[in-house]
Every structure is written in C-alpha cells, then in structure tokens.
Amino acid sequence: MEIAIVILVIAIIFISRSVKVVPQQHAWVIERLGKYHTTLTPGLNILVPFVDRVAYKHVLKEIPLDIASQVCITRDNTQLQVDGILYFQVTDAMRASYGSSNYIVAISQLAQTSLRSVIGKLELDKTFEERDIINAQVVAAIDEAALNWGVKVLRYEIKDLTPPKEILHAMQAQITAERGKRALIAASEGRRQEQINIATGEREAFIARSEGEKQAAINQAQGQASAITAVADATAGAIERIAAAIRQPGGEQAVQLKVAEKAVEAYSKVASDSTTTLIIPGNMSEVSTLIATAMKMLQTSK
C-alpha cells in the first residue's frame, strides 16, 4: 500500500513537471539543462521532467509604464518638471529574457534620457505647443534600442509639464495682457463694423429715396405728356371736324355768321361797361360789312 502511494506521488510530480498549460497572451521561455530550448505558446505543452524548466514568463499584452517625474532644461534655460507614461509590448520572449537583465528599468531610464534630450532642443513656448512631436521623438529614440530587448514601444504620452512659479506667473500675466488686447481689438472692430453698417444703411436709404423721387418725376412727366397728348388729340379732332364742317355747303357762311355774332357781342359788352374805354377802329366799313353780312345771313336763315 505504501509503495502504491509513493508511485502515485512520483507520477503526480512527473505529470506536474511535464505538462504545462500556457494562458492566452502569455509566452514561457524553456531552458533545457541551463540552455535556451524553446518558447511555449498558449495551450497545452509537454516538457521533459527534470530536464526542461520554465525559466521566464512574459505577458504579451500592452503594458503601461509610469515614467517618474524629472527636471528638464529647455533651450532657453528654463527648468520644467515633466512626467509621462509609456506603453510597450513584449514581442520576442527570448530576447526579452536574455537581451537585458531588466528591460522595464532599461526602458524607463532610456525614456527619461530621451525626453531630456528632446526638450533641450526646444524653447519653453514650443514645449507646450508641440507635445505630439515630443512624444513621437521619444518613441522613436526608445524603439530603436528596445528592439534588442524584444520589446516594441507603442507610444509615449506627457502627463504634465510644470514650469517654475515665476515663469508660471509671467505666463499668466502675458495671457491676461493678450486677452485684454484681443478684447480691445474686438471692441474696435465692433465699432468699425457698426459705423460701416450705419453708413451703408444711409447710403442705401438715400439711393432708395432718390430712386423713388426719380420714378415719381418720371410718372408725373409721363402723366403730363399723356394729358398734353390727349388735349392735342382732342384739339386736332375738333379742328378736323370744324374743317370738315366748313367744307360742307353753307359752312363758310356759318363761320362768317359766328364771327359776326362774336364781334357784335364783344362790342356790346364793351359799350355797356362804363369803366371801359372804347376804342373805335379806324376802318369802320369792315365792321359794318361784317355786321351787315351777319344780318343778311340771319334773314336768309329765317
């Protein structure tokens, strides 16, 4: 019975050392007799007991690494307190195991030195404006060296840039002055636009009034012209009718009779007015002849 228990324990030990189940997104490095042998992939794997052993275990997921805050000096000799975060991923488990004794520390230190180098090439104002460029240059510098460590640097992000208090106060004062300047410019532009709008409105109103007056004058002139034309047409029609009537038999005598009547009527009115001075024509024979002709025509008509 005791022998069976010993055999069972030995079998369990052999099975536990020979059968390995690797989780997803993990990679295990196997050494055989102290030398690299293979890398186990996710799933069920069989090893040689007491010959093969799991030397290193790596996670293949994307790993965030917090980079410690440090002081960087810009091109214009201004100190900046900078901290960031680095994202990397193990792509080669064998190199990650044997390329560096501690690839996480190596990446962290390289990120700090690369960041100081990049910021040292920029002025203070540029460091706030060109964060994307800084991040890209840091990633490029780290990724080149991290290839030997079996690591791929995905991205680097600056979390905070903190200048000294004196510089911060100066920047705030500059921002306040700039905002005041923009407010004055905006107010002046508003007044300028207001004056332009008023002038434009007055000009358009004047043009509209002048156009209205012009149209009214044109309409009045057209109305007067139409009235004159109508009177002229009526006068011409009356003259044509009179002329046609004169051409009829007895028309000429009728005209003479009408003239004589008007003459007699005019002389009678002048004679009856005591305040009017009567001037007798020198040739009275013409008047008498006119009157006689008129009387003769009256008698003929009767």
Side-chain angles (χ1 to χ4, degrees):
M1 185 65 183
E2 294 179 356
I3 297 175
I5 294 175
V6 172
I7 294 174
L8 180 61
V9 170
I10 294 174
I12 293 174
I13 294 173
F14 266 81
I15 293 173
S16 63
R17 295 185 66 89
S18 62
V19 177
K20 299 293 181 182
V21 178
V22 180
Q24 184 66 33
Q25 287 295 90
H26 286 70
W28 291 1
V29 174
I30 303 301
E31 290 182 353
R32 175 168 291 179
L33 300 177
K35 183 180 178 181
Y36 171 76
H37 174 62
T38 186
T39 300
L40 300 183
T41 57
L44 181 63
N45 296 271
I46 305 298
L47 302 180
V48 177
F50 304 104
V51 176
D52 296 337
R53 73 180 186 91
V54 178
Y56 300 97
K57 295 182 179 180
H58 298 285
V59 179
L60 303 182
K61 300 177 183 178
E62 182 176 339
I63 302 173
L65 177 62
D66 191 17
I67 305 300
S69 178
Q70 61 177 332
V71 176
C72 300
I73 299 177
T74 62
R75 184 177 180 181
D76 49 358
N77 296 324
T78 302
Q79 293 183 352
L80 281 177
Q81 193 77 20
V82 185
D83 60 348
I85 185 168
L86 183 70
Y87 296 88
F88 70 94
Q89 185 178 21
V90 175
T91 57
D92 191 333
M94 190 271 288
R95 289 189 177 185
S97 301
Y98 304 105
S100 173
S101 60
N102 192 332
Y103 62 86
I104 295 179
V105 175
I107 291 175
S108 178
Q109 294 299 318
L110 186 57
Q112 289 182 330
T113 56
S114 300
L115 181 62
R116 287 196 296 267
S117 176
V118 172
I119 290 182
K121 299 176 183 178
L122 300 175
E123 297 180 354
L124 177 62
D125 294 337
K126 294 295 183 180
T127 57
F128 295 99
E129 299 173 2
E130 300 181 357
R131 286 196 177 193
D132 293 339
I133 297 177
I134 295 174
N135 296 336
Q137 291 181 357
V138 171
V139 170
I142 300 174
D143 195 36
E144 183 178 358
L147 290 176
N148 295 326
W149 305 332
V151 176
K152 173 66 176 177
V153 178
L154 302 177
R155 58 189 178 277
Y156 178 81
E157 296 291 340
I158 295 177
K159 292 194 297 184
D160 194 13
L161 286 172
T162 306
K165 293 182 179 180
E166 296 78 8
I167 301 297
L168 187 60
H169 291 163
M171 293 174 63
Q172 290 176 349
Q174 181 181 2
I175 293 173
T176 302
E178 186 67 22
R179 289 179 178 175
K181 175 183 175 182
R182 291 180 182 177
L184 293 176
I185 293 175
S188 63
E189 288 292 335
R191 290 193 296 270
R192 173 175 173 271
Q193 190 62 41
E194 179 184 4
Q195 296 297 326
I196 292 174
N197 293 340
I198 292 174
T200 303
E202 292 178 352
R203 180 173 64 86
E204 293 178 354
F206 178 78
I207 293 174
R209 286 195 299 269
S210 64
E211 289 292 336
E213 293 174 356
K214 174 184 175 183
Q215 190 62 40
I218 292 173
N219 294 339
Q220 184 178 3
Q222 290 178 349
Q224 293 177 355
S226 300
I228 293 172
T229 302
V231 172
D233 292 340
T235 302
I239 293 174
E240 289 179 357
R241 293 180 64 184
I242 292 172
I246 292 174
R247 287 194 295 270
Q248 297 295 327
E252 185 176 355
Q253 290 79 5
V255 172
Q256 293 177 359
L257 174 60
K258 191 66 174 177
V259 172
E261 288 179 353
K262 293 296 183 180
V264 172
E265 182 180 355
Y267 277 108
S268 63
K269 289 182 179 180
V270 172
S272 62
D273 191 354
S274 59
T275 62
T276 304
T277 302
L278 181 62
I279 301 175
I280 304 300
N283 189 4
M284 294 297 296
S285 61
E286 295 180 359
V287 177
S288 61
T289 302
L290 182 60
I291 295 173
T293 303
M295 296 300 295
K296 185 177 180 180
M297 290 179 67
L298 288 173
Q299 292 175 358
T300 302
S301 62
K302 291 179 179 180

